[in-house]
Amino acid sequence: MGDFRKALTDAGLLVFDGAMGTLLQGRGLAPGQSPELFGLAHPEAIVATHREYIEAGSRVITANTFGGSRFKLPAGTDVVALNREMARLARQAAGDAAFVAGSVGPTGQFVAPLGKVTLRELVAVFAEQIRGLAAGGCDLIVGETHFDVAEAKALVLACREVCDLPVAVCMTYEGAASLTGSAPEVFADAMENLGVDLIGVNCGAGPDDMRLVGEVYSRRLSTPFFVKPNAGMPRLENGKTVFPMGPEEFAEKTARFADLGAKALSGCCGTTPAHIAALAKALSGRSWTRPEAPDRPVLAVTSRALTVTLGGKSPCAVIGERINPTGKAELAAELVAGEYAKALAFAEEQAVAGASILDVNVGAPMVDETRTLPGLALELTKRQRLPLCLDSNNAEALTNALWASPATPLVNSISGEPGRMELLGPLCRDHGAPFILLPLKGRKLPVTAAERLAIIEELLAQAESLRIPRRLILVDALALTVSSKAEAALACLETIRHCRDAWGLPTVLGLSNISFGLPARELVNAAFFAMCLGAGLSAAIANPNVARLMETGAACEVLLARDPQAGRFIERYAGWKSSPGGGSAPAAATKDEEGGSPLRQAVIKGRRAELDGLIDAALAEGRDPAAILSEELIPGIMEVGERYERKEFFLPQLLVAAETMRAGFTRLEPLLAETSGAEKARIVMATVEGDIHDIGKNIVCLMLKNHGFEVIDLGKDVPAARIVDEAQACKADIIGLSALMTTTMVRMEDTVRLVRERGLTAKVMVGGAVVTAAFAKSIGADAHAADAVDAVRQAKALIGG
């Protein structure tokens, strides 16, 4: 068939195949049975299915390996052999008529700190699967239905570790963001940083609802993009799951993505060879033109939740410098002890003050940076939406911290020190981590702009030889002090202009260095900042708590036409007044989201380390344990739930708040038992038979425990008889059922029927990604929960709470 990378650059559109499960069910796949294990036992069914799609017009067929990882297959399965065989069968069916994509689905695990699996462990799991897919003859690896940018990153790292195949990665979204809070822009920027060959979206929506994501990709990406919608949203008819969109309607609506510049198109759940044949016909004769991508950033730094763009028309980013133990004895002492409370407080303070990125430096005597930098990065990732700048001279510490980062943080820095580019450059390239290029080489400081630019040019050539893309490079203009080198500021300005105009590179500098040794340093720094912004500076490492500095930056953004209608400036400084004597009043505070007591805020912000001390202080003051729970902790977790429903919080914030709440409840529980003999409402939770997905159920269990329920969690793939037996034995008040797949949600009705047959009084609550209120009503369930927060609300209503 040829080279898939070459096919990505030609004028042809790539039509992939559609859903496999429905066709395999017609060939004997039982509900809940592993399609991969079925394929081993019935290879002829797999080959026949692939050939149907090729005959329908698919130029790419997808191996039957979506659930082919160690986490999804039964213990003892030879993962490499299974994936190799499924890829071989696809290759056999394809011959020279189609490319073969090795499908890699989500593992069902959360990457630390959201879960217990580390990024390195997840890479090892994916590498095992990909090794088999490569050996079986795949032309590319495609990650499908991923919901966490960290897991997508692990997939890319694993592929690079095992083979040189092209990589495609598709994210699935719930409205405006993925389950873990990544908007399409965040995913697009992170995947481009990682050098993914094809960036996509699949599942979760039909072509109409997927349109907004396609528009973001069209404007954002220079990388080819891929759309794979469902045949509409599923509904239940006569006990069967039905997707409402027929082949012609699906083809007409999906083909419109080609107008946006999509390179690859196909179908996900509910699509058949007839859908793909109609799509191929609708696209016949059309050619692909790469979109112009007007919104593509010059450089982007990402966290799970945010992307911060630098250069071009992006506003200048302030990189908060406060998490640095130099001159901060209390912070240094905590870091030596492996504690992070002060660092986390600095992070929150800078986020409120307007920092865009947080610099993280733990370099101090007696601090083991190789452990402390990744440890602090993990803690910050749990609590902060802002991207991080990992700042260290210790290469091992930076390496470990990159492995602790879910997305593509900034690295500070790579200089001309012998061996540093060779060591850190490929690491940043492979992790998609932008880095600060520091024009230092040898012992002599480059005072003039010409000296700096010569070093930069040399380092750029070195980076290019290591296949490091320019989109990962942020140049440090190197602010030296004007008190000893009068031309230092002018050299910075010339360097900034040259990087912008000649090389198209964004720039950064440590702002306060310029004024060292002078009085009124704030005045000098603010003036210098304004001059640098006019010259094209993209980011500044500075203290965002300095009002004069932030005021200057905000005003300059208006004057440089990078703050449309002065919207950000007006929002922040509408109440600004000049202070007597010619100075300025402190900058208007960012909207205060605090409110409430420290105890309540500890839950909302996930400040677990502070909570025990706050509870102890409240008890010492004579507060009743039940009042602390009902008046502080529960209102706190309720507010988290409300913010989650408003899409102000996402899963990471929900989980860290829930863990904090659980810790507080554990602390109070013995005291509550002494003062109250009330029994807890009891709920039995399970993922139904045939379904091995349990992330959503686990989150619901955690939330229910936080609200005082006694939860008996039976796990996943649980038969109806066992669920009802347990509910009867423990006299459960509620049975909670979860299903993620359309093929298994029908098993919920088995439990409802058995509950009625036995005459149990337990109420049945159902939920899951594919489960709707209409479906719940049709099977006789007592309640439907849309998400974990709604599950708590519904459970309380069911017990009359």
Side-chain angles (χ1 to χ4, degrees):
M1 186 65 183
D3 182 351
F4 187 77
R5 282 196 175 94
K6 185 176 180 182
L8 283 175
T9 62
D10 67 25
L13 293 167
L14 291 168
V15 178
F16 280 60
D17 51 7
M20 180 165 281
T22 305
L23 297 187
L24 292 183
Q25 284 177 356
R27 292 185 163 102
L29 175 68
Q33 185 180 6
S34 163
E36 294 77 21
L37 296 182
F38 173 82
L40 285 180
H42 303 280
E44 72 288 345
I46 303 301
V47 172
T49 300
H50 287 317
R51 285 178 175 160
E52 280 195 55
Y53 277 117
I54 294 170
E55 290 167 6
S58 295
R59 286 187 64 195
V60 187
I61 58 170
T62 310
N64 177 40
T65 54
F66 179 79
S69 72
R70 186 193 317 162
F71 283 123
K72 288 297 183 74
L73 294 168
T77 304
D78 187 332
V79 173
V80 175
L82 181 145
N83 282 275
R84 182 174 61 241
E85 178 61 10
M86 291 298 101
R88 187 193 68 77
L89 292 175
R91 183 81 274 161
Q92 175 187 326
D96 294 328
F99 292 108
V100 173
S103 174
V104 181
T107 61
Q109 305 291 315
F110 281 124
V111 181
L114 297 186
K116 296 180 180 179
V117 179
T118 68
L119 191 66
R120 289 183 191 270
E121 289 168 344
L122 202 55
V123 167
V125 168
F126 282 139
E128 185 178 38
Q129 183 178 7
I130 293 166
R131 194 172 291 113
L133 293 171
C138 287
D139 298 294
L140 69 149
I141 303 300
V142 56
E144 301 182 280
T145 325
H146 287 275
F147 53 80
D148 183 15
V149 70
E151 188 169 40
K153 176 180 175 179
L155 168 60
V156 177
L157 290 171
C159 198
R160 300 272 166 70
E161 182 181 293
V162 169
C163 63
D164 189 38
L165 293 176
V167 188
V169 187
C170 295
M171 181 71 88
T172 185
Y173 300 95
E174 298 181 352
S178 71
L179 177 65
T180 53
S182 300
E185 292 86 349
V186 174
F187 179 68
D189 291 347
M191 292 301 106
E192 283 213 307
N193 282 348
L194 284 159
V196 168
D197 300 275
L198 184 64
I199 298 172
V201 52
N202 81 294
C203 205
D208 292 330
D209 294 329
M210 203 172 275
R211 180 79 184 183
L212 291 177
V213 177
E215 290 174 352
V216 170
Y217 284 1
S218 177
R219 295 184 61 82
R220 195 83 174 188
L221 292 170
S222 60
T223 301
F225 71 92
F226 179 19
V227 290
K228 188 176 180 179
N230 293 340
M233 296 307 291
R235 58 180 182 237
L236 195 70
E237 293 183 1
N238 300 320
K240 292 184 178 180
T241 304
V242 175
F243 286 84
M245 198 170 285
E248 298 305 321
E249 183 186 3
F250 172 82
E252 177 192 353
K253 292 182 174 181
T254 302
R256 294 173 188 167
F257 287 100
D259 299 331
L260 294 176
K263 171 69 177 180
L265 306 97
S266 72
C268 202
C269 300
T271 57
T272 66
H275 289 79
I276 299 305
L279 177 60
K281 181 180 178 181
L283 295 171
S284 178
R286 299 188 60 170
S287 59
W288 176 66
T289 303
R290 188 186 297 272
E292 292 185 5
D295 294 344
R296 184 177 188 269
V298 177
L299 181 144
V301 184
T302 68
S303 66
R304 262 196 182 96
L306 290 177
T307 181
V308 175
T309 60
L310 305 178
K313 297 180 180 179
S314 300
C316 182
V318 173
I319 302 174
E321 67 183 5
R322 296 279 287 151
I323 306 175
N324 187 324
T326 303
K328 301 183 184 76
E330 185 180 352
L331 175 60
E334 282 196 355
L335 294 175
V336 170
E339 298 171 357
Y340 305 123
K342 195 68 179 175
L344 295 174
F346 279 139
E348 191 166 321
E349 162 196 304
Q350 292 180 106
V352 171
S356 302
I357 298 170
L358 297 174
D359 190 78
V360 187
N361 186 317
V362 298
M366 306 298 290
V367 173
D368 181 357
E369 288 194 61
T370 64
R371 292 172 59 89
T372 306
L373 188 61
L376 178 53
L378 274 176
E379 290 299 314
L380 287 166
T381 297
K382 286 173 70 174
R383 292 166 173 79
Q384 284 294 332
R385 291 166 55 83
L386 298 183
L388 304 181
C389 174
L390 306 172
D391 186 355
S392 178
N393 289 322
N394 186 314
E396 185 181 355
L398 287 173
T399 301
N400 293 346
L402 280 174
W403 279 102
S405 301
T408 56
L410 183 64
V411 168
N412 188 8
S413 58
I414 297 179
S415 66
E417 177 187 340
R420 192 160 175 90
M421 177 68 79
E422 293 87 345
L423 178 62
L424 291 178
L427 178 74
C428 290
R429 176 198 66 205
D430 293 345
H431 279 260
F435 61 88
I436 295 175
L437 190 73
L438 187 62
L440 288 177
K441 188 177 181 183
R443 297 185 177 182
K444 182 185 175 185
L445 285 173
V447 176
T448 68
E451 291 174 312
R452 298 175 198 193
L453 293 171
I455 296 172
I456 294 166
E457 194 162 21
E458 185 179 335
L459 291 175
L460 289 175
Q462 194 177 3
E464 186 175 359
S465 71
L466 294 170
R467 297 180 294 108
I468 298 168
R470 289 282 181 98
R471 67 172 175 267
L472 296 182
I473 298 175
L474 176 65
V475 177
D476 194 326
L478 197 63
L480 304 177
T481 176
V482 291
S483 61
S484 60
K485 295 177 175 61
E487 68 275 32
L490 295 175
C492 278
L493 297 173
E494 187 177 341
T495 301
I496 292 166
R497 291 191 191 99
H498 188 92
C499 287
R500 180 192 62 186
D501 299 337
W503 294 328
L505 289 172
T507 49
V508 65
L509 47 73
L511 197 62
S512 62
N513 293 345
I514 202 74
S515 63
F516 187 78
L518 294 176
R521 294 185 65 186
E522 276 190 27
L523 295 178
V524 178
N525 292 345
F528 181 54
F529 190 28
M531 295 171 73
C532 288
L533 287 171
L537 184 71
S538 309
I541 301 173
N543 182 356
N545 295 307
V546 177
R548 190 185 302 272
L549 185 71
M550 300 302 284
E551 291 165 355
T552 300
C556 286
E557 293 300 333
V558 175
L559 300 174
L560 291 167
R562 294 193 304 219
D563 185 358
Q565 287 77 51
R568 293 190 302 272
F569 184 83
I570 292 169
E571 181 181 3
R572 189 171 181 91
Y573 295 107
W576 185 92
K577 293 180 181 179
S578 177
S579 294
S584 63
T590 305
K591 183 182 177 182
D592 183 14
E593 294 187 352
E594 289 286 309
S597 72
L599 266 170
R600 187 177 304 185
Q601 284 302 313
V603 173
I604 294 170
K605 300 291 186 179
R607 299 170 182 155
R608 186 172 177 177
E610 299 176 16
L611 194 65
D612 276 354
L614 291 170
I615 290 174
D616 288 343
L619 292 170
E621 292 171 1
R623 291 196 67 180
D624 178 59
I628 295 173
L629 179 65
S630 63
E631 297 172 9
E632 304 287 0
L633 304 191
I634 288 178
I637 201 68
M638 292 295 288
E639 183 170 341
V640 169
E642 290 167 4
R643 294 191 188 187
Y644 179 77
E645 289 186 319
R646 294 197 301 265
K647 301 298 182 183
E648 295 173 8
F649 277 10
F650 292 92
L651 188 60
Q653 293 99 324
L654 183 68
L655 287 178
V656 73
E659 289 172 2
T660 303
M661 170 70 182
R662 188 64 186 159
F665 185 77
T666 300
R667 171 71 181 84
L668 291 171
E669 193 169 23
L671 303 175
L672 294 169
E674 294 172 6
T675 59
S676 173
E679 289 188 12
K680 298 179 181 179
R682 191 172 293 124
I683 181 167
V684 169
M685 292 289 298
T687 300
V688 297
E689 185 174 12
D691 202 318
I692 58 173
H693 302 87
D694 64 354
I695 284 179
K697 172 187 65 63
N698 294 343
I699 297 167
V700 170
C701 289
L702 181 61
M703 292 295 290
L704 287 167
K705 289 175 183 176
N706 282 341
H707 284 266
F709 285 86
E710 180 184 343
V711 178
I712 295 95
D713 184 0
L714 301 183
K716 55 193 176 184
D717 189 18
V718 188
R722 186 185 166 209
I723 296 170
V724 178
D725 285 346
E726 183 64 34
Q728 191 168 11
C730 72
K731 298 180 180 178
D733 300 286
I734 302 171
I735 296 172
L737 303 176
S738 173
L740 186 68
M741 300 186 296
T742 56
T743 54
T744 58
M745 69 188 219
V746 293
R747 298 273 70 82
M748 291 176 164
E749 189 173 8
D750 299 342
T751 302
V752 174
R753 186 185 307 111
L754 197 53
V755 166
R756 304 296 182 250
E757 288 175 0
R758 294 197 189 176
L760 271 63
T761 58
K763 305 292 186 181
V764 180
M765 176 173 66
V766 299
V770 295
V771 180
T772 64
F775 171 77
K777 184 177 180 180
S778 73
I779 64 172
D782 298 288
H784 165 256
D787 53 40
V789 175
D790 192 35
V792 173
R793 184 185 302 114
Q794 297 295 337
K796 287 183 175 181
L798 289 174
I799 62 170

